[in-house]
Amino acid sequence: MTAYSGFRYLRYLRALCIGAMLAVASVATAKENGRITLFLDDERLELPLSAGHSDWTGSPGFAKVSILTRPSDVETWQRFQSLRLAFDLLRSRAQMPEMSLLRRTGDAGFERWYGRTDSGGLIVTVQDRALDGDVLRVSGSFAGQLGQSSDFGQTIDLSAPMQVSGTFEVTLLPIR
């Protein structure tokens, strides 16, 4: 009877190890990727997803999405540093969008720009959304105004706003 219990234990352990390997393999093959096309006043930028800094958290019906992009070429990097777009995704509708943008100035300093629905009228429209396991694919567009801020977006000065619009198409893994 003891040998039989040991055999069952080994079979159970083997099945558990195979299941763990398959789960790790499926997560390893899922890759974050995507792109944001950004229009700032009269400038157009194509920005790749910064996969290590973009993610989502939540459930199939409600998710918090955070998308970060950074330029991949030196010429763009010298003018523009990063863009973060975040919003709550309630089924297929974006709510409470926020955007932050970091740009270089002519004197090698930085300008910090921010926008929200209540400050700049930022609107995000979701065209497509799909959840496959824990991989979230979402695409859409955004438009609004950004203003400068010295306190990381707590207060936004819209006296000299910058028009912003664009599209996004990203594949995100859950927050790690």
Side-chain angles (χ1 to χ4, degrees):
M1 187 80 166
T2 312
Y4 181 70
S5 296
F7 181 69
R8 283 183 41 195
Y9 173 75
L10 288 176
R11 283 183 55 188
Y12 174 74
L13 184 60
R14 186 175 123 218
L16 185 63
C17 288
I18 289 171
M21 287 188 312
L22 290 174
V24 168
S26 68
V27 168
T29 60
K31 294 196 185 212
E32 290 180 303
N33 62 46
R35 177 165 298 289
I36 287 186
T37 302
L38 176 66
F39 297 96
L40 297 173
D41 291 325
D42 59 352
E43 186 176 19
R44 180 180 194 259
L45 299 167
E46 291 282 334
L47 302 166
L49 180 76
S50 180
H53 300 98
S54 300
D55 50 46
W56 75 277
T57 185
S59 66
F62 176 80
K64 288 189 168 287
V65 175
S66 179
I67 303 166
L68 182 76
T69 63
R70 293 190 174 142
S72 56
D73 63 284
V74 175
E75 183 183 327
T76 306
W77 179 259
Q78 291 172 344
R79 299 181 340 268
F80 178 84
Q81 297 295 296
S82 66
L83 168 84
R84 179 180 172 272
L85 176 64
F87 53 90
D88 292 345
L89 184 60
L90 180 60
R91 292 184 183 82
S92 291
R93 294 182 55 123
Q95 297 181 338
M96 298 177 56
E98 299 177 347
M99 181 176 283
S100 62
L101 187 139
L102 184 61
R103 269 172 83 150
R104 284 211 184 255
T105 61
D107 64 355
F110 291 100
E111 295 177 337
R112 298 179 187 280
W113 295 81
Y114 296 87
R116 297 185 304 263
T117 301
D118 65 337
S119 191
L122 183 65
I123 296 173
V124 172
T125 304
V126 175
Q127 269 93 33
D128 191 35
R129 169 201 188 281
L131 184 60
D132 183 15
D134 61 354
V135 177
L136 177 66
R137 290 177 185 80
V138 62
S139 63
S141 60
F142 55 89
Q145 294 180 337
L146 303 181
Q148 290 192 344
S149 176
S150 59
D151 58 5
F152 299 98
Q154 294 296 321
T155 56
I156 300 172
D157 178 7
L158 290 167
S159 61
M162 176 173 38
Q163 294 295 322
V164 64
S165 64
T167 60
F168 60 93
E169 186 172 339
V170 295
T171 301
L172 304 171
L173 292 174
I175 196 166
R176 297 171 207 78

